[in-house]
Amino acid sequence: MVDLDRVDANISRVQGYCDAHGLNLRPHIKTHKIPAIALLQLQAGASGIACQKLGEAEVMADAGITDILLCYPVIGPLKTSRLVALAERVHLSTVVDSETGAAGLSLATTHRALELDVLVECDTGFHRTGVQTPKDAASLAAFVNSQPGLRFAGLLTYPTLPGTGDWLRAAVAECQKIGLHPTSVSTGGTPDWFGTHEIADVVTELRAGTYIYGDRACLADGSALLEHCAMRVRSTVVSRPTPGRAILDAGSKTLTTDMLIEGAGSGFGLILEYPAAIIYDLSEEHGHVDVSGCSDAPEIGDVLTVIPNHACGTTNLHDEIAFCRGDRIVEFAPVAARGRVR
Amino acid sequence: MVDLDRVDANISRVQGYCDAHGLNLRPHIKTHKIPAIALLQLQAGASGIACQKLGEAEVMADAGITDILLCYPVIGPLKTSRLVALAERVHLSTVVDSETGAAGLSLATTHRALELDVLVECDTGFHRTGVQTPKDAASLAAFVNSQPGLRFAGLLTYPTLPGTGDWLRAAVAECQKIGLHPTSVSTGGTPDWFGTHEIADVVTELRAGTYIYGDRACLADGSALLEHCAMRVRSTVVSRPTPGRAILDAGSKTLTTDMLIEGAGSGFGLILEYPAAIIYDLSEEHGHVDVSGCSDAPEIGDVLTVIPNHACGTTNLHDEIAFCRGDRIVEFAPVAARGRVR
């Protein structure tokens, strides 16, 4: 279930922050994968959306969304040809972190009247994708501009770490040295969204996803309070085999096995009615709950409300979400971009 | 991708074992969730199928399967009424581990010309669902038989542990003391399937799921060899940011964050082409791979073959599976019972 009142409030809160600090907000739809929510985000002032998979971007374009950043290196001719076809329908920008990636995108634009906006992905400390130094960022930016059909559009990183601002400032300076001016400098992530204004001298855009729903990880890292958590998994107690144990009908196929960041607490979700209960293990369809710390314990048949550890992973398991306002279900919405792994 | 040649061989292997030892094999479809594979299992001699969710059972019944064990305690009137409706279409048996559960099933059979076969679920050491002692098993069996519309059909447990045989023998003896004769004694789980003959004096039925595909957990626990692993995730190298790191386009939304059993090795999957590579972390759409131990490392654009840690969790993420025989794709099959969480 997703409470739309809380969704509305979360949109206002983060959009308001970005507006106050002169930042573009580009919500990442990986958290909800539902066009109707993306449209709410755009109506509130978002400058566009971000997607992680080409298939997600195609679903969002089909829903009428016209400004999409695919912030993932798209590799291989089957995908780059789909990407270029999509870029002829909407304003699609994307990222590269290698000359191989840039050359592949360029090749796909052959015989198309298209200039693709391409950002250079920068590894500012997370050690995932991205070029490794500010100098490398400028070199790849120049390579992008040398490729037919591509236009260097800026720099992108994920997430925002203590060194991210300095890294990006150095990369902008390296670009300027060779006459390139990144129009967009995009950073991402919900855990640190509220600190983006501190580096707004260099950053122009915030990409954030999880803020839309909130989850137990957001509670742990301080990016959301309980009142911001819009997603809940309603689950039934199906067994009380011992006084200390309750079994829920929500397991890893409902909640995911995603864990919190280290040190932030154990368990696979927060049970609102029994905050002292611990979901200490998950089978595929069973949540194993230690209720020994609860003064009053749930009974078979009770329906409990779980805030999942990770909203994005949970979304990805469910074909449909019940939209509600307070306790009233107002609509069942298909999670239209779920399962678009290709 | 799922290699049907290996699926055929896995079916023959486990069905042959059960035939040799006078055990009924009741495959658990949670691993594949595809009616066509369930039908292959039945054609080879399976006595019926097992499902974990009512929604899965409904999909399998719609596909023409007529003997289904729903080995999960079904609680609450919305579900018990669906269960009873299904039991009027096919031979459906189910389990209880509480009087509350049995009374709920009985109530749902009111005004129906139906005797529902109900097994008593036993906790023989796993500490999940199930009655706690052999005496409790017999008491609940008697309660089941006292309830209108229900018939005690046997005992069920998961998984097979060192004490499972003795536990079940004691429970059968307790049942016999009060004049009850369990016609089915069902145990489950792929990790120990090949030891079921050692307790075939009391066990009549093996429920196993994961044997159909195999996975990295099966390799770790010895229940499958590499040649038995039928499920592979084909994934593209999208980034080589450093000499020691490669990034795959398969993350937690493709492979799950399910880990191996403790001590059985780290990482989120086995890359067949680079067995020395370690998938040491997953983002939602990125697999983070340490290739520093590989003599020759993959390049951007290479497509790699991953044996996932957990086939059942991986199935649950994908709407469609590519059936292949060797390297040839023969069909795309919808994972029809995926997402039936209710």
Side-chain angles (χ1 to χ4, degrees):
Chain A
M1 297 179 73
V2 162
D3 188 325
L4 291 180
D5 289 338
R6 292 177 188 227
V7 163
D8 290 343
N10 291 338
I11 291 174
S12 296
R13 185 166 68 117
V14 180
Q15 187 66 54
Y17 169 86
C18 287
D19 291 347
H21 295 288
L23 291 160
N24 292 324
L25 175 62
R26 183 180 285 277
H28 204 310
I29 62 80
K30 66 170 182 129
T31 307
H32 56 73
K33 296 184 181 242
I34 298 175
I37 295 185
L39 291 167
L40 289 177
Q41 292 171 311
L42 289 164
Q43 282 155 17
S47 57
I49 62 166
C51 294
Q52 202 75 341
K53 301 298 270 192
L54 188 51
E56 292 173 352
E58 288 167 341
V59 168
M60 294 294 152
D62 290 345
I65 291 172
T66 56
D67 190 322
I68 301 176
L69 167 60
L70 180 53
C71 44
Y72 198 89
V74 174
I75 301 292
L78 284 175
K79 285 191 178 151
T80 53
S81 64
R82 277 169 58 203
L83 182 149
V84 165
L86 188 60
E88 289 185 325
R89 297 167 50 199
V90 300
H91 178 232
L92 183 79
S93 49
T94 189
V95 302
V96 294
D97 75 350
S98 67
E99 293 192 358
T100 308
L105 289 176
S106 174
L107 189 64
T109 66
T110 309
H111 305 308
R112 307 254 187 175
L114 187 73
E115 279 235 297
L116 198 59
D117 280 332
V118 177
L119 293 90
V120 169
E121 185 168 0
C122 302
D123 181 354
T124 66
F126 188 52
H127 305 314
R128 190 171 69 182
T129 38
V131 297
Q132 295 296 297
T133 68
K135 217 176 199 42
D136 289 345
S139 301
L140 186 55
F143 184 83
V144 165
N145 263 351
S146 77
Q147 295 291 295
L150 307 189
R151 178 171 48 207
F152 170 62
L155 305 170
L156 178 143
T157 193
Y158 171 88
T160 303
L161 296 169
T164 296
D166 285 345
W167 203 110
L168 292 172
R169 285 180 201 104
V172 170
E174 291 291 342
C175 287
Q176 286 170 340
K177 272 191 211 167
I178 55 172
L180 297 176
H181 300 278
T183 50
S184 177
V185 179
S186 178
T187 186
T190 288
D192 300 290
W193 68 266
F194 47 82
T196 314
H197 67 281
E198 292 169 13
I199 52 172
D201 60 299
V202 60
V203 169
T204 65
E205 176 178 274
L206 169 65
R207 309 180 321 281
T210 314
Y211 80 93
I212 192 74
Y213 286 166
D215 57 23
R216 192 157 166 260
C218 292
L219 295 176
D221 68 29
S223 61
L225 302 173
L226 198 51
E227 70 200 61
H228 303 127
C229 290
M231 172 184 264
R232 294 96 182 281
V233 176
R234 298 277 285 169
S235 173
T236 302
V237 177
V238 294
S239 175
R240 283 302 317 278
T242 67
R245 191 187 329 139
I247 301 294
L248 292 178
D249 67 351
S252 61
K253 286 177 170 173
T254 302
L255 292 170
T256 82
T257 44
D258 293 357
M259 294 302 294
L260 295 186
I261 47 173
E262 225 171 303
S266 62
F268 292 92
L270 170 66
I271 302 177
L272 288 184
E273 296 85 354
Y274 296 92
I278 298 164
I279 306 176
Y280 64 92
D281 200 5
L282 295 179
S283 303
E284 288 165 47
E285 304 291 1
H286 302 77
H288 306 221
V289 187
D290 179 357
V291 294
S292 60
C294 304
S295 51
D296 147 54
E299 291 176 12
I300 291 177
D302 287 356
V303 178
L304 306 186
T305 312
V306 181
I307 306 282
N309 279 0
H310 189 197
C312 312
T314 303
T315 282
N316 192 52
L317 297 175
H318 297 275
D319 289 346
E320 202 174 61
I321 296 278
F323 283 152
C324 61
R325 294 201 181 265
D327 287 336
R328 193 169 53 89
I329 291 176
V330 293
E331 190 189 342
F332 286 90
V335 184
R338 199 212 67 76
R340 306 299 170 120
V341 292
R342 285 189 279 190
Chain B
M1 298 180 74
V2 162
D3 188 324
L4 291 180
D5 290 338
R6 291 176 187 228
V7 163
D8 291 341
N10 291 338
I11 290 174
S12 296
R13 185 166 68 116
V14 180
Q15 186 66 54
Y17 169 86
C18 286
D19 291 347
H21 294 289
L23 291 160
N24 292 324
L25 176 61
R26 184 181 286 278
H28 204 309
I29 62 80
K30 65 171 184 128
T31 306
H32 56 72
K33 297 184 181 245
I34 297 176
I37 295 185
L39 291 168
L40 289 177
Q41 292 171 311
L42 290 164
Q43 283 156 16
S47 56
I49 63 166
C51 294
Q52 202 75 340
K53 301 296 272 192
L54 188 52
E56 293 173 351
E58 288 166 340
V59 169
M60 294 294 152
D62 290 345
I65 291 172
T66 56
D67 190 322
I68 302 176
L69 167 60
L70 180 52
C71 46
Y72 198 90
V74 173
I75 300 293
L78 284 175
K79 285 191 177 152
T80 54
S81 63
R82 277 169 59 202
L83 182 149
V84 165
L86 188 60
E88 290 185 327
R89 296 167 51 199
V90 300
H91 178 230
L92 182 78
S93 49
T94 189
V95 302
V96 294
D97 75 350
S98 67
E99 294 192 359
T100 308
L105 289 176
S106 175
L107 188 65
T109 66
T110 309
H111 306 307
R112 306 254 187 176
L114 187 72
E115 279 235 298
L116 198 59
D117 279 332
V118 177
L119 292 90
V120 169
E121 186 169 359
C122 303
D123 181 355
T124 66
F126 188 52
H127 305 316
R128 191 170 69 182
T129 38
V131 297
Q132 295 297 297
T133 68
K135 217 176 199 42
D136 289 345
S139 302
L140 186 55
F143 183 84
V144 164
N145 262 352
S146 77
Q147 294 292 294
L150 307 190
R151 177 170 50 207
F152 170 62
L155 305 171
L156 178 142
T157 193
Y158 171 89
T160 304
L161 296 170
T164 296
D166 285 345
W167 204 109
L168 292 172
R169 285 181 201 104
V172 169
E174 291 291 341
C175 287
Q176 286 169 341
K177 270 192 212 167
I178 56 172
L180 297 175
H181 300 276
T183 50
S184 177
V185 179
S186 178
T187 186
T190 287
D192 300 289
W193 69 265
F194 47 82
T196 314
H197 67 281
E198 292 170 14
I199 52 173
D201 59 298
V202 59
V203 169
T204 66
E205 175 178 276
L206 169 64
R207 308 181 320 280
T210 314
Y211 79 93
I212 192 73
Y213 286 165
D215 56 22
R216 193 159 165 258
C218 292
L219 295 176
D221 67 31
S223 61
L225 302 173
L226 198 52
E227 70 201 63
H228 303 127
C229 291
M231 172 184 263
R232 295 95 183 281
V233 176
R234 298 277 285 169
S235 173
T236 302
V237 177
V238 294
S239 175
R240 285 300 318 277
T242 69
R245 191 187 329 140
I247 301 293
L248 293 178
D249 66 352
S252 62
K253 285 176 170 173
T254 302
L255 292 170
T256 82
T257 44
D258 293 358
M259 294 301 294
L260 294 186
I261 47 173
E262 226 171 303
S266 62
F268 294 93
L270 170 66
I271 302 177
L272 288 185
E273 296 85 354
Y274 296 92
I278 298 164
I279 307 176
Y280 63 92
D281 199 6
L282 296 179
S283 304
E284 289 165 47
E285 305 291 1
H286 302 77
H288 307 221
V289 187
D290 179 356
V291 295
S292 60
C294 304
S295 52
D296 147 54
E299 291 176 11
I300 291 176
D302 286 356
V303 178
L304 306 185
T305 311
V306 181
I307 306 282
N309 279 359
H310 189 197
C312 312
T314 303
T315 282
N316 192 53
L317 297 175
H318 296 275
D319 289 346
E320 203 174 59
I321 296 278
F323 284 152
C324 60
R325 293 201 181 265
D327 287 338
R328 194 168 52 88
I329 291 176
V330 293
E331 189 188 343
F332 287 90
V335 184
R338 198 212 68 75
R340 305 299 169 122
V341 293
R342 285 190 278 190

